[in-house]
Amino acid sequence: MKSGPVLSQKNVKYHEPEYWKFGQEGNKYFRHATGQIYAISRDLATYISINQPILHKYANEDVSLGSWFIGLEVEHIDDRNMCCGTPPDCEWKAQAGNVCIASFDWSCSGICKSVEKIKDVHARCGEGDAAVWDALF
């Protein structure tokens, strides 16, 4: 969960064209889910599906999702048990038998050079093709 700065400068990653809606320059977004993975309940997914035509979409999907939930009674849970960093963190979790469904490299706000590294991350840290279907949460 985060509430990072609203980026008003054009040509920067995560630029928000509607930055003015968040107040003065330098303001932050409301708290919202962020990262490589987040989950929502079936009820929230149904709410989005039904109301999709009237829900405003911001430049970044995690901010949009957060804005849709502001007026709703939702519980935000920040649980990183199923997340891990890039190797060797994910290798240690896999060896311990823990499920790792998302990988994140804190040194660069994601997976650095993701196109080059994704195959290596999966090869070194994956639990096999059936892991998601066989895992107990």
Side-chain angles (χ1 to χ4, degrees):
M1 303 298 292
K2 76 168 192 173
S3 57
V6 178
L7 301 178
S8 59
Q9 308 87 343
K10 289 184 179 180
N11 300 323
V12 297
K13 191 173 184 178
Y14 307 120
H15 166 67
E16 178 57 68
E18 297 180 89
Y19 63 90
W20 58 271
K21 289 185 177 181
F22 298 92
Q24 298 176 359
E25 193 166 329
N27 277 2
K28 292 185 175 186
Y29 286 115
F30 36 81
R31 189 156 299 282
H32 61 279
T34 185
Q36 307 314 106
I37 188 170
Y38 47 85
I40 61 173
S41 70
R42 181 180 183 160
D43 288 344
L44 288 174
T46 300
Y47 170 82
I48 293 169
S49 178
I50 291 169
N51 294 291
Q52 185 269 337
I54 60 170
L55 294 173
H56 185 75
K57 294 159 193 76
Y58 289 99
N60 302 293
E61 95 291 340
D62 49 2
V63 172
S64 296
L65 197 65
S67 72
W68 302 337
F69 298 160
I70 284 178
L72 303 176
E73 291 294 327
V74 298
E75 180 181 6
H76 294 90
I77 300 171
D78 190 352
D79 185 352
R80 301 177 188 199
N81 286 331
M82 293 186 288
C83 300
C84 60
T86 51
D89 179 46
C90 55
E91 290 175 291
W92 298 330
K93 280 194 171 185
Q95 289 169 3
N98 296 324
V99 176
C100 182
I101 61 172
S103 181
F104 193 83
D105 186 341
W106 292 104
S107 68
C108 65
S109 296
I111 295 180
C112 309
K113 300 180 183 176
S114 59
V115 174
E116 294 86 1
K117 286 191 175 180
I118 198 67
K119 287 182 181 178
D120 180 52
V121 169
H122 282 283
R124 293 173 67 182
C125 303
E127 294 90 9
D129 293 336
V132 173
W133 309 115
D134 295 336
L136 296 174
F137 297 103

